[in-house]
Amino acid sequence: MSDVVYEAELVVGHKELVADGVLALTLRHPLGEPLPSWEPGAHIDVVLGPDLERQYSLCGDPADRDVWRIAVLREPDGRGGSAHVHEQLGPGDKVRVRGPRNHFRLEPAPRYRFIAGGIGITPVLPMLAAAEAAGAEWTLLYGGRTRRSMAFVEELARYGDRVTIAPQDETGLLDLAPVLGDGDTLVYCCGPGPLLDAVEELCPAGVLRVERFQPKEQPAGEDGEFEVELAQSGRTLTVVPGVSVLDTVRAAGIEVLYSCTEGTCGTCETDVLDGTPEHRDSVLTKEEQESGETMMICVSRCRGRRLVLDL
């Protein structure tokens, strides 16, 4: 489990419209202190107000400790986070930030195939630079609704024909099959759910790494009552049907970190000391879920009658 190592109020610096409906902004420490280091694939939690907290991928240069860069898509039918960033945050404003946290790390490989849809380009951008620096072979297939809606296209031009820009209104749906590799080619994909589902269906086993902005549809699972023993506090709580482990723990007065409550951000990841979780998150890989070492307590439950958690 990754520990949160940093929380601070940062100052909004540069703010720029980088595509239709997409704002990029930088964040810096108000006293000029260096920000924590991070690796490609990392995201931060941005606290925009009471009960308004969102996760955004870092899409700048990991070597630049002076600023963090994020990009935010304006979602007209969203829950208010993107509207707040677009309409209310401006240069000089302060915003509380936690992280960075990373469940989408770039693993060493001789070859990569990157696939991004829309705002899913954000975690992929620093991965390209890292793959380039490592001397790996790589390509990027980047799709969007229109060319004007696709952020950072000009920035990607320096990579030449290794990058394929494929706006849907010009080229149709992404042609995925030709770009998916073999067993020693890792595939990294981020974007809307239907794109990730299509890539998962076509990809060879074991080579795909994805990050979801929305929770993956989960099969129906057990929703019965079970007990949770909290090893650190020495308490045992009953989790009833329809109530999450997270809500049960918080109702007992125990403070835990959480954010999305949908199983997509990884903030509430908790070590499992005994028992078998029933995973309902969209963060852990199949192998990580099968190991049963951690769980996202905002959505996952128990296969059986009892869990022991490191809380």
Side-chain angles (χ1 to χ4, degrees):
M1 165 181 181
S2 298
D3 294 324
V4 174
V5 295
Y6 186 77
E7 180 170 355
E9 276 198 341
L10 301 184
V11 177
V12 177
H14 186 63
K15 185 175 180 181
E16 177 188 7
L17 192 68
V18 292
D20 285 350
V22 181
L23 272 177
L25 58 153
T26 59
L27 303 169
R28 58 178 174 81
H29 193 279
L31 301 179
E33 296 178 6
L35 299 173
S37 59
W38 58 279
E39 297 179 354
H43 69 263
I44 55 175
D45 304 329
V46 181
V47 182
L48 300 169
D51 300 318
L52 189 61
E53 187 171 321
R54 298 293 182 265
Q55 291 72 45
Y56 299 112
S57 296
L58 293 171
C59 59
D61 180 1
D64 187 352
R65 301 282 300 278
D66 292 329
V67 298
W68 283 342
R69 182 176 71 164
I70 61 175
V72 181
L73 170 67
R74 175 66 185 265
E75 299 183 82
D77 299 324
R79 296 178 295 163
S82 65
H84 183 97
V85 172
H86 277 247
E87 297 173 6
Q88 299 186 42
L89 276 188
D93 290 342
K94 290 184 178 181
V95 62
R96 180 153 291 275
V97 172
R98 288 198 302 264
R101 188 178 297 103
N102 200 337
H103 288 277
F104 195 41
R105 284 184 173 85
L106 186 68
E107 302 171 22
R111 283 177 290 279
Y112 300 98
R113 299 293 177 259
F114 298 103
I115 303 170
I119 198 63
I121 191 62
T122 50
V124 172
L125 268 182
M127 291 184 177
L128 304 182
E132 182 83 352
E137 174 196 324
W138 64 267
T139 62
L140 166 66
L141 177 61
Y142 177 22
R145 298 187 313 278
T146 67
R147 192 174 294 268
R148 289 176 57 86
S149 72
M150 299 170 67
F152 306 118
V153 169
E154 292 183 2
E155 192 170 316
L156 290 166
R158 63 190 176 106
Y159 293 120
D161 61 6
R162 281 173 295 177
V163 174
T164 299
I165 304 297
Q168 185 175 348
D169 66 338
E170 297 177 21
T171 63
L173 295 176
L174 293 181
D175 187 9
L176 298 171
V179 304
L180 298 178
D182 51 28
D184 63 354
T185 301
L186 289 186
V187 178
Y188 278 79
C189 182
C190 185
L195 171 63
L196 272 61
D197 293 342
V199 173
E200 284 183 339
E201 186 174 336
L202 292 170
C203 229
V207 305
L208 178 61
R209 310 291 184 267
V210 302
E211 181 167 68
R212 292 180 178 270
F213 296 139
Q214 299 294 331
K216 184 178 181 179
E217 186 174 343
Q218 301 288 341
E222 299 177 20
D223 198 29
E225 182 178 295
F226 59 96
E227 289 187 343
V228 173
E229 180 182 334
L230 309 180
Q232 291 185 29
S233 55
R235 300 181 63 179
T236 297
L237 307 175
T238 300
V239 181
V240 300
V243 179
S244 68
V245 176
L246 172 64
D247 287 343
T248 301
V249 169
R250 293 185 64 232
I254 297 168
E255 292 297 321
V256 292
L257 285 175
Y258 69 98
S259 182
C260 73
T261 69
E262 295 180 325
T264 58
C265 74
T267 305
C268 70
E269 185 177 7
T270 301
D271 289 332
V272 179
L273 305 181
D274 194 24
T276 304
E278 184 198 294
H279 296 285
R280 300 183 183 181
D281 67 274
S282 302
V283 178
L284 298 176
T285 65
K286 181 180 178 181
E287 293 75 18
E288 289 170 335
Q289 290 185 344
E290 289 175 350
S291 76
E293 294 178 358
T294 69
M295 65 183 289
M296 305 302 160
I297 61 173
C298 66
V299 291
S300 297
R301 300 185 70 80
C302 177
R303 293 189 184 277
R305 298 294 302 167
R306 182 174 172 272
L307 288 172
V308 182
L309 302 181
D310 190 18
L311 291 174

